[in-house]
Amino acid sequence: MEITPVIYENSVTSVDSSEDLYEDIKAEHMGSQTIRKNQEQKSSERDQLLTSYNYLLTSYKNLTTGRDHLETSYISVIAEKDNLQKKLSCLEKAAQEGWRYFNSRLYYISTEQKTWNSSRQDCRKRGADLVIINSKEEQEFVDSLSCCKDAAVFIGLSDRETEGVWKWVDGSVLTTGYWENGQPNNGKWISSQDCAVTGPQLGKRWNDKPCKNSYYWICEKNV
Ligand SMILES: [Ca+2]
Ligand SMILES: [Ca+2]
């Protein structure tokens, strides 16, 4: 008996269709993965761009702020330079007029001798007043101005208002003085002595003298 092979056409067709379907699903799956990967990549690139943009924006803001600070600093430096130039011109003019600079103040020693009142008037005409000595250093500077004089020099100190109460020309009461030994003595029996001079000698050097006597004097003013 001959056996005839039986061909199950539908079955063959069915296997082929399954493979196609599998391939289709696989392709679709791969396609989806590719699309998803592309989307993820695009999303990542967008995030990177956004980060870069934010970084650039922050940098720009920082640069702008830095530029504003520089501009402000530049304006301040220019203003300070102008201010210093004005001060320098002022100091040069003062030096030509005989003023000497010490510790942000200007001092002038006279070339003639006058009474205490006339001396003070002269200082006021120069935009100053008789010198007020606030420290040992200032006294030493005053010494350096007066040491070459052959006579005493009036300073801005007197007890004309109340005997024995020594006040500076700005109204403040004397706290530290550099009196010679035995001074102030108000002249004892000779005459009233109410105006202070600083002597040409070194050491303790102040003395009270009659205000109507004539001496050199020292003026002091702000720069
Ligand atoms: Ca006196
Ligand atoms: Ca005296």
PDB file of all heavy atoms in Angstrom, residues 40-70:
ATOM      1  N   GLU A  40      14.284  59.809  24.038  1.00  0.00           N
ATOM      2  CA  GLU A  40      15.105  60.002  25.241  1.00  0.00           C
ATOM      3  C   GLU A  40      16.339  60.841  24.929  1.00  0.00           C
ATOM      4  O   GLU A  40      16.731  61.715  25.701  1.00  0.00           O
ATOM      5  CB  GLU A  40      15.533  58.640  25.795  1.00  0.00           C
ATOM      6  CG  GLU A  40      14.417  57.922  26.535  1.00  0.00           C
ATOM      7  CD  GLU A  40      14.788  56.497  26.931  1.00  0.00           C
ATOM      8  OE1 GLU A  40      15.926  56.076  26.598  1.00  0.00           O
ATOM      9  OE2 GLU A  40      13.953  55.837  27.560  1.00  0.00           O
ATOM     10  N   GLN A  41      16.926  60.552  23.742  1.00  0.00           N
ATOM     11  CA  GLN A  41      18.127  61.298  23.357  1.00  0.00           C
ATOM     12  C   GLN A  41      17.796  62.778  23.169  1.00  0.00           C
ATOM     13  O   GLN A  41      18.516  63.659  23.622  1.00  0.00           O
ATOM     14  CB  GLN A  41      18.691  60.708  22.062  1.00  0.00           C
ATOM     15  CG  GLN A  41      20.075  61.252  21.743  1.00  0.00           C
ATOM     16  CD  GLN A  41      20.677  60.566  20.518  1.00  0.00           C
ATOM     17  OE1 GLN A  41      20.116  59.568  20.028  1.00  0.00           O
ATOM     18  NE2 GLN A  41      21.778  61.081  20.053  1.00  0.00           N
ATOM     19  N   LYS A  42      16.636  63.013  22.478  1.00  0.00           N
ATOM     20  CA  LYS A  42      16.221  64.399  22.244  1.00  0.00           C
ATOM     21  C   LYS A  42      15.953  65.097  23.577  1.00  0.00           C
ATOM     22  O   LYS A  42      16.305  66.257  23.784  1.00  0.00           O
ATOM     23  CB  LYS A  42      14.966  64.427  21.373  1.00  0.00           C
ATOM     24  CG  LYS A  42      15.282  64.266  19.895  1.00  0.00           C
ATOM     25  CD  LYS A  42      14.019  64.305  19.063  1.00  0.00           C
ATOM     26  CE  LYS A  42      14.359  64.057  17.598  1.00  0.00           C
ATOM     27  NZ  LYS A  42      13.153  63.898  16.785  1.00  0.00           N
ATOM     28  N   SER A  43      15.294  64.351  24.474  1.00  0.00           N
ATOM     29  CA  SER A  43      14.988  64.920  25.784  1.00  0.00           C
ATOM     30  C   SER A  43      16.272  65.271  26.530  1.00  0.00           C
ATOM     31  O   SER A  43      16.385  66.331  27.140  1.00  0.00           O
ATOM     32  CB  SER A  43      14.170  63.900  26.577  1.00  0.00           C
ATOM     33  OG  SER A  43      13.884  64.413  27.847  1.00  0.00           O
ATOM     34  N   SER A  44      17.246  64.345  26.434  1.00  0.00           N
ATOM     35  CA  SER A  44      18.534  64.572  27.089  1.00  0.00           C
ATOM     36  C   SER A  44      19.237  65.779  26.480  1.00  0.00           C
ATOM     37  O   SER A  44      19.768  66.640  27.200  1.00  0.00           O
ATOM     38  CB  SER A  44      19.401  63.325  26.934  1.00  0.00           C
ATOM     39  OG  SER A  44      20.695  63.587  27.401  1.00  0.00           O
ATOM     40  N   GLU A  45      19.184  65.848  25.146  1.00  0.00           N
ATOM     41  CA  GLU A  45      19.826  66.992  24.472  1.00  0.00           C
ATOM     42  C   GLU A  45      19.147  68.303  24.852  1.00  0.00           C
ATOM     43  O   GLU A  45      19.792  69.321  25.079  1.00  0.00           O
ATOM     44  CB  GLU A  45      19.760  66.798  22.952  1.00  0.00           C
ATOM     45  CG  GLU A  45      20.763  65.772  22.437  1.00  0.00           C
ATOM     46  CD  GLU A  45      20.551  65.451  20.956  1.00  0.00           C
ATOM     47  OE1 GLU A  45      19.627  66.018  20.350  1.00  0.00           O
ATOM     48  OE2 GLU A  45      21.316  64.631  20.435  1.00  0.00           O
ATOM     49  N   ARG A  46      17.813  68.245  24.965  1.00  0.00           N
ATOM     50  CA  ARG A  46      17.075  69.454  25.345  1.00  0.00           C
ATOM     51  C   ARG A  46      17.464  69.894  26.765  1.00  0.00           C
ATOM     52  O   ARG A  46      17.699  71.073  27.025  1.00  0.00           O
ATOM     53  CB  ARG A  46      15.568  69.156  25.296  1.00  0.00           C
ATOM     54  CG  ARG A  46      14.703  70.391  25.441  1.00  0.00           C
ATOM     55  CD  ARG A  46      13.292  70.019  25.722  1.00  0.00           C
ATOM     56  NE  ARG A  46      13.207  69.239  26.966  1.00  0.00           N
ATOM     57  CZ  ARG A  46      12.229  68.391  27.259  1.00  0.00           C
ATOM     58  NH1 ARG A  46      11.256  68.189  26.406  1.00  0.00           N
ATOM     59  NH2 ARG A  46      12.209  67.736  28.404  1.00  0.00           N
ATOM     60  N   ASP A  47      17.576  68.879  27.678  1.00  0.00           N
ATOM     61  CA  ASP A  47      17.989  69.201  29.048  1.00  0.00           C
ATOM     62  C   ASP A  47      19.377  69.824  29.075  1.00  0.00           C
ATOM     63  O   ASP A  47      19.645  70.782  29.812  1.00  0.00           O
ATOM     64  CB  ASP A  47      17.975  67.936  29.915  1.00  0.00           C
ATOM     65  CG  ASP A  47      16.546  67.480  30.194  1.00  0.00           C
ATOM     66  OD1 ASP A  47      15.617  68.278  29.915  1.00  0.00           O
ATOM     67  OD2 ASP A  47      16.385  66.340  30.676  1.00  0.00           O
ATOM     68  N   GLN A  48      20.293  69.234  28.261  1.00  0.00           N
ATOM     69  CA  GLN A  48      21.658  69.768  28.211  1.00  0.00           C
ATOM     70  C   GLN A  48      21.666  71.204  27.694  1.00  0.00           C
ATOM     71  O   GLN A  48      22.359  72.063  28.222  1.00  0.00           O
ATOM     72  CB  GLN A  48      22.537  68.889  27.314  1.00  0.00           C
ATOM     73  CG  GLN A  48      22.967  67.589  27.992  1.00  0.00           C
ATOM     74  CD  GLN A  48      23.773  66.690  27.079  1.00  0.00           C
ATOM     75  OE1 GLN A  48      24.045  67.054  25.937  1.00  0.00           O
ATOM     76  NE2 GLN A  48      24.137  65.536  27.573  1.00  0.00           N
ATOM     77  N   LEU A  49      20.830  71.424  26.643  1.00  0.00           N
ATOM     78  CA  LEU A  49      20.748  72.782  26.079  1.00  0.00           C
ATOM     79  C   LEU A  49      20.205  73.767  27.110  1.00  0.00           C
ATOM     80  O   LEU A  49      20.682  74.883  27.247  1.00  0.00           O
ATOM     81  CB  LEU A  49      19.842  72.778  24.846  1.00  0.00           C
ATOM     82  CG  LEU A  49      20.499  72.333  23.551  1.00  0.00           C
ATOM     83  CD1 LEU A  49      19.467  72.201  22.454  1.00  0.00           C
ATOM     84  CD2 LEU A  49      21.584  73.330  23.133  1.00  0.00           C
ATOM     85  N   LEU A  50      19.174  73.273  27.842  1.00  0.00           N
ATOM     86  CA  LEU A  50      18.554  74.117  28.866  1.00  0.00           C
ATOM     87  C   LEU A  50      19.574  74.457  29.954  1.00  0.00           C
ATOM     88  O   LEU A  50      19.666  75.607  30.407  1.00  0.00           O
ATOM     89  CB  LEU A  50      17.360  73.367  29.465  1.00  0.00           C
ATOM     90  CG  LEU A  50      16.284  74.234  30.121  1.00  0.00           C
ATOM     91  CD1 LEU A  50      15.704  75.226  29.122  1.00  0.00           C
ATOM     92  CD2 LEU A  50      15.181  73.343  30.678  1.00  0.00           C
ATOM     93  N   THR A  51      20.346  73.427  30.360  1.00  0.00           N
ATOM     94  CA  THR A  51      21.379  73.643  31.381  1.00  0.00           C
ATOM     95  C   THR A  51      22.413  74.650  30.877  1.00  0.00           C
ATOM     96  O   THR A  51      22.806  75.577  31.597  1.00  0.00           O
ATOM     97  CB  THR A  51      22.089  72.310  31.713  1.00  0.00           C
ATOM     98  OG1 THR A  51      21.098  71.375  32.111  1.00  0.00           O
ATOM     99  CG2 THR A  51      23.090  72.488  32.835  1.00  0.00           C
ATOM    100  N   SER A  52      22.838  74.456  29.602  1.00  0.00           N
ATOM    101  CA  SER A  52      23.812  75.375  29.018  1.00  0.00           C
ATOM    102  C   SER A  52      23.253  76.788  28.957  1.00  0.00           C
ATOM    103  O   SER A  52      23.933  77.762  29.262  1.00  0.00           O
ATOM    104  CB  SER A  52      24.195  74.927  27.603  1.00  0.00           C
ATOM    105  OG  SER A  52      24.766  73.653  27.643  1.00  0.00           O
ATOM    106  N   TYR A  53      21.962  76.863  28.564  1.00  0.00           N
ATOM    107  CA  TYR A  53      21.331  78.189  28.472  1.00  0.00           C
ATOM    108  C   TYR A  53      21.306  78.878  29.834  1.00  0.00           C
ATOM    109  O   TYR A  53      21.645  80.054  29.954  1.00  0.00           O
ATOM    110  CB  TYR A  53      19.913  78.018  27.929  1.00  0.00           C
ATOM    111  CG  TYR A  53      19.111  79.293  27.970  1.00  0.00           C
ATOM    112  CD1 TYR A  53      19.334  80.302  27.027  1.00  0.00           C
ATOM    113  CD2 TYR A  53      18.141  79.486  28.946  1.00  0.00           C
ATOM    114  CE1 TYR A  53      18.609  81.484  27.073  1.00  0.00           C
ATOM    115  CE2 TYR A  53      17.422  80.666  28.991  1.00  0.00           C
ATOM    116  CZ  TYR A  53      17.647  81.662  28.053  1.00  0.00           C
ATOM    117  OH  TYR A  53      16.940  82.812  28.114  1.00  0.00           O
ATOM    118  N   ASN A  54      20.895  78.097  30.869  1.00  0.00           N
ATOM    119  CA  ASN A  54      20.849  78.665  32.223  1.00  0.00           C
ATOM    120  C   ASN A  54      22.227  79.094  32.688  1.00  0.00           C
ATOM    121  O   ASN A  54      22.400  80.129  33.327  1.00  0.00           O
ATOM    122  CB  ASN A  54      20.257  77.642  33.208  1.00  0.00           C
ATOM    123  CG  ASN A  54      18.764  77.524  33.034  1.00  0.00           C
ATOM    124  OD1 ASN A  54      18.109  78.468  32.599  1.00  0.00           O
ATOM    125  ND2 ASN A  54      18.217  76.352  33.342  1.00  0.00           N
ATOM    126  N   TYR A  55      23.235  78.269  32.377  1.00  0.00           N
ATOM    127  CA  TYR A  55      24.614  78.598  32.756  1.00  0.00           C
ATOM    128  C   TYR A  55      25.054  79.903  32.085  1.00  0.00           C
ATOM    129  O   TYR A  55      25.621  80.792  32.728  1.00  0.00           O
ATOM    130  CB  TYR A  55      25.550  77.460  32.354  1.00  0.00           C
ATOM    131  CG  TYR A  55      27.005  77.764  32.561  1.00  0.00           C
ATOM    132  CD1 TYR A  55      27.559  77.742  33.840  1.00  0.00           C
ATOM    133  CD2 TYR A  55      27.817  78.095  31.478  1.00  0.00           C
ATOM    134  CE1 TYR A  55      28.889  78.036  34.030  1.00  0.00           C
ATOM    135  CE2 TYR A  55      29.146  78.392  31.664  1.00  0.00           C
ATOM    136  CZ  TYR A  55      29.687  78.363  32.941  1.00  0.00           C
ATOM    137  OH  TYR A  55      30.999  78.664  33.122  1.00  0.00           O
ATOM    138  N   LEU A  56      24.733  79.993  30.763  1.00  0.00           N
ATOM    139  CA  LEU A  56      25.107  81.210  30.030  1.00  0.00           C
ATOM    140  C   LEU A  56      24.387  82.435  30.586  1.00  0.00           C
ATOM    141  O   LEU A  56      24.962  83.507  30.714  1.00  0.00           O
ATOM    142  CB  LEU A  56      24.770  81.043  28.543  1.00  0.00           C
ATOM    143  CG  LEU A  56      25.733  80.168  27.750  1.00  0.00           C
ATOM    144  CD1 LEU A  56      25.200  79.927  26.354  1.00  0.00           C
ATOM    145  CD2 LEU A  56      27.113  80.819  27.676  1.00  0.00           C
ATOM    146  N   LEU A  57      23.097  82.232  30.935  1.00  0.00           N
ATOM    147  CA  LEU A  57      22.308  83.333  31.485  1.00  0.00           C
ATOM    148  C   LEU A  57      22.907  83.814  32.804  1.00  0.00           C
ATOM    149  O   LEU A  57      23.060  85.016  33.036  1.00  0.00           O
ATOM    150  CB  LEU A  57      20.868  82.856  31.689  1.00  0.00           C
ATOM    151  CG  LEU A  57      19.827  83.948  31.930  1.00  0.00           C
ATOM    152  CD1 LEU A  57      19.715  84.852  30.713  1.00  0.00           C
ATOM    153  CD2 LEU A  57      18.470  83.328  32.244  1.00  0.00           C
ATOM    154  N   THR A  58      23.253  82.836  33.688  1.00  0.00           N
ATOM    155  CA  THR A  58      23.865  83.173  34.976  1.00  0.00           C
ATOM    156  C   THR A  58      25.193  83.891  34.754  1.00  0.00           C
ATOM    157  O   THR A  58      25.499  84.898  35.409  1.00  0.00           O
ATOM    158  CB  THR A  58      24.089  81.894  35.808  1.00  0.00           C
ATOM    159  OG1 THR A  58      22.859  81.211  35.908  1.00  0.00           O
ATOM    160  CG2 THR A  58      24.592  82.232  37.202  1.00  0.00           C
ATOM    161  N   SER A  59      25.994  83.366  33.806  1.00  0.00           N
ATOM    162  CA  SER A  59      27.286  83.985  33.517  1.00  0.00           C
ATOM    163  C   SER A  59      27.100  85.415  33.036  1.00  0.00           C
ATOM    164  O   SER A  59      27.822  86.323  33.439  1.00  0.00           O
ATOM    165  CB  SER A  59      28.028  83.194  32.436  1.00  0.00           C
ATOM    166  OG  SER A  59      28.266  81.885  32.872  1.00  0.00           O
ATOM    167  N   TYR A  60      26.092  85.587  32.164  1.00  0.00           N
ATOM    168  CA  TYR A  60      25.820  86.928  31.627  1.00  0.00           C
ATOM    169  C   TYR A  60      25.437  87.884  32.753  1.00  0.00           C
ATOM    170  O   TYR A  60      25.924  89.012  32.817  1.00  0.00           O
ATOM    171  CB  TYR A  60      24.702  86.841  30.595  1.00  0.00           C
ATOM    172  CG  TYR A  60      24.245  88.189  30.104  1.00  0.00           C
ATOM    173  CD1 TYR A  60      25.035  88.906  29.205  1.00  0.00           C
ATOM    174  CD2 TYR A  60      23.059  88.755  30.542  1.00  0.00           C
ATOM    175  CE1 TYR A  60      24.636  90.156  28.756  1.00  0.00           C
ATOM    176  CE2 TYR A  60      22.655  90.004  30.095  1.00  0.00           C
ATOM    177  CZ  TYR A  60      23.442  90.698  29.203  1.00  0.00           C
ATOM    178  OH  TYR A  60      23.044  91.927  28.774  1.00  0.00           O
ATOM    179  N   LYS A  61      24.562  87.374  33.654  1.00  0.00           N
ATOM    180  CA  LYS A  61      24.145  88.219  34.783  1.00  0.00           C
ATOM    181  C   LYS A  61      25.341  88.575  35.657  1.00  0.00           C
ATOM    182  O   LYS A  61      25.495  89.716  36.089  1.00  0.00           O
ATOM    183  CB  LYS A  61      23.085  87.492  35.614  1.00  0.00           C
ATOM    184  CG  LYS A  61      21.704  87.524  34.969  1.00  0.00           C
ATOM    185  CD  LYS A  61      20.706  86.770  35.830  1.00  0.00           C
ATOM    186  CE  LYS A  61      19.338  86.757  35.179  1.00  0.00           C
ATOM    187  NZ  LYS A  61      18.410  85.856  35.886  1.00  0.00           N
ATOM    188  N   ASN A  62      26.199  87.557  35.918  1.00  0.00           N
ATOM    189  CA  ASN A  62      27.394  87.814  36.736  1.00  0.00           C
ATOM    190  C   ASN A  62      28.312  88.825  36.063  1.00  0.00           C
ATOM    191  O   ASN A  62      28.857  89.721  36.715  1.00  0.00           O
ATOM    192  CB  ASN A  62      28.166  86.509  36.975  1.00  0.00           C
ATOM    193  CG  ASN A  62      27.438  85.604  37.940  1.00  0.00           C
ATOM    194  OD1 ASN A  62      26.570  86.053  38.695  1.00  0.00           O
ATOM    195  ND2 ASN A  62      27.766  84.323  37.927  1.00  0.00           N
ATOM    196  N   LEU A  63      28.464  88.673  34.742  1.00  0.00           N
ATOM    197  CA  LEU A  63      29.316  89.612  33.999  1.00  0.00           C
ATOM    198  C   LEU A  63      28.750  91.024  34.053  1.00  0.00           C
ATOM    199  O   LEU A  63      29.478  91.996  34.227  1.00  0.00           O
ATOM    200  CB  LEU A  63      29.435  89.159  32.537  1.00  0.00           C
ATOM    201  CG  LEU A  63      30.435  88.037  32.268  1.00  0.00           C
ATOM    202  CD1 LEU A  63      30.311  87.563  30.839  1.00  0.00           C
ATOM    203  CD2 LEU A  63      31.859  88.514  32.540  1.00  0.00           C
ATOM    204  N   THR A  64      27.416  91.106  33.917  1.00  0.00           N
ATOM    205  CA  THR A  64      26.766  92.416  33.967  1.00  0.00           C
ATOM    206  C   THR A  64      26.966  93.061  35.329  1.00  0.00           C
ATOM    207  O   THR A  64      27.302  94.242  35.435  1.00  0.00           O
ATOM    208  CB  THR A  64      25.254  92.251  33.685  1.00  0.00           C
ATOM    209  OG1 THR A  64      25.110  91.559  32.454  1.00  0.00           O
ATOM    210  CG2 THR A  64      24.571  93.597  33.574  1.00  0.00           C
ATOM    211  N   THR A  65      26.772  92.222  36.390  1.00  0.00           N
ATOM    212  CA  THR A  65      26.972  92.738  37.748  1.00  0.00           C
ATOM    213  C   THR A  65      28.419  93.180  37.931  1.00  0.00           C
ATOM    214  O   THR A  65      28.694  94.251  38.490  1.00  0.00           O
ATOM    215  CB  THR A  65      26.626  91.648  38.788  1.00  0.00           C
ATOM    216  OG1 THR A  65      25.312  91.178  38.513  1.00  0.00           O
ATOM    217  CG2 THR A  65      26.674  92.200  40.199  1.00  0.00           C
ATOM    218  N   GLY A  66      29.346  92.322  37.455  1.00  0.00           N
ATOM    219  CA  GLY A  66      30.775  92.652  37.552  1.00  0.00           C
ATOM    220  C   GLY A  66      31.093  93.940  36.825  1.00  0.00           C
ATOM    221  O   GLY A  66      31.828  94.786  37.345  1.00  0.00           O
ATOM    222  N   ARG A  67      30.493  94.096  35.631  1.00  0.00           N
ATOM    223  CA  ARG A  67      30.735  95.316  34.852  1.00  0.00           C
ATOM    224  C   ARG A  67      30.204  96.543  35.604  1.00  0.00           C
ATOM    225  O   ARG A  67      30.872  97.573  35.686  1.00  0.00           O
ATOM    226  CB  ARG A  67      30.017  95.201  33.504  1.00  0.00           C
ATOM    227  CG  ARG A  67      30.311  96.347  32.561  1.00  0.00           C
ATOM    228  CD  ARG A  67      29.259  96.458  31.493  1.00  0.00           C
ATOM    229  NE  ARG A  67      27.956  96.693  32.084  1.00  0.00           N
ATOM    230  CZ  ARG A  67      26.803  96.526  31.454  1.00  0.00           C
ATOM    231  NH1 ARG A  67      26.793  96.092  30.227  1.00  0.00           N
ATOM    232  NH2 ARG A  67      25.653  96.753  32.069  1.00  0.00           N
ATOM    233  N   ASP A  68      28.999  96.390  36.223  1.00  0.00           N
ATOM    234  CA  ASP A  68      28.421  97.505  36.986  1.00  0.00           C
ATOM    235  C   ASP A  68      29.331  97.883  38.148  1.00  0.00           C
ATOM    236  O   ASP A  68      29.552  99.060  38.423  1.00  0.00           O
ATOM    237  CB  ASP A  68      27.027  97.118  37.517  1.00  0.00           C
ATOM    238  CG  ASP A  68      26.018  97.025  36.381  1.00  0.00           C
ATOM    239  OD1 ASP A  68      26.358  97.474  35.263  1.00  0.00           O
ATOM    240  OD2 ASP A  68      24.918  96.487  36.610  1.00  0.00           O
ATOM    241  N   HIS A  69      29.860  96.843  38.852  1.00  0.00           N
ATOM    242  CA  HIS A  69      30.772  97.114  39.971  1.00  0.00           C
ATOM    243  C   HIS A  69      32.025  97.838  39.490  1.00  0.00           C
ATOM    244  O   HIS A  69      32.505  98.770  40.128  1.00  0.00           O
ATOM    245  CB  HIS A  69      31.160  95.806  40.667  1.00  0.00           C
ATOM    246  CG  HIS A  69      30.079  95.267  41.541  1.00  0.00           C
ATOM    247  ND1 HIS A  69      30.038  93.960  41.988  1.00  0.00           N
ATOM    248  CD2 HIS A  69      28.970  95.851  42.044  1.00  0.00           C
ATOM    249  CE1 HIS A  69      28.959  93.776  42.721  1.00  0.00           C
ATOM    250  NE2 HIS A  69      28.290  94.900  42.773  1.00  0.00           N
ATOM    251  N   LEU A  70      32.546  97.357  38.352  1.00  0.00           N
ATOM    252  CA  LEU A  70      33.747  97.991  37.797  1.00  0.00           C
ATOM    253  C   LEU A  70      33.487  99.444  37.443  1.00  0.00           C
ATOM    254  O   LEU A  70      34.313 100.320  37.712  1.00  0.00           O
ATOM    255  CB  LEU A  70      34.209  97.230  36.548  1.00  0.00           C
ATOM    256  CG  LEU A  70      35.094  96.013  36.795  1.00  0.00           C
ATOM    257  CD1 LEU A  70      35.374  95.303  35.489  1.00  0.00           C
ATOM    258  CD2 LEU A  70      36.408  96.421  37.448  1.00  0.00           C
TER     259      LEU A  70
END
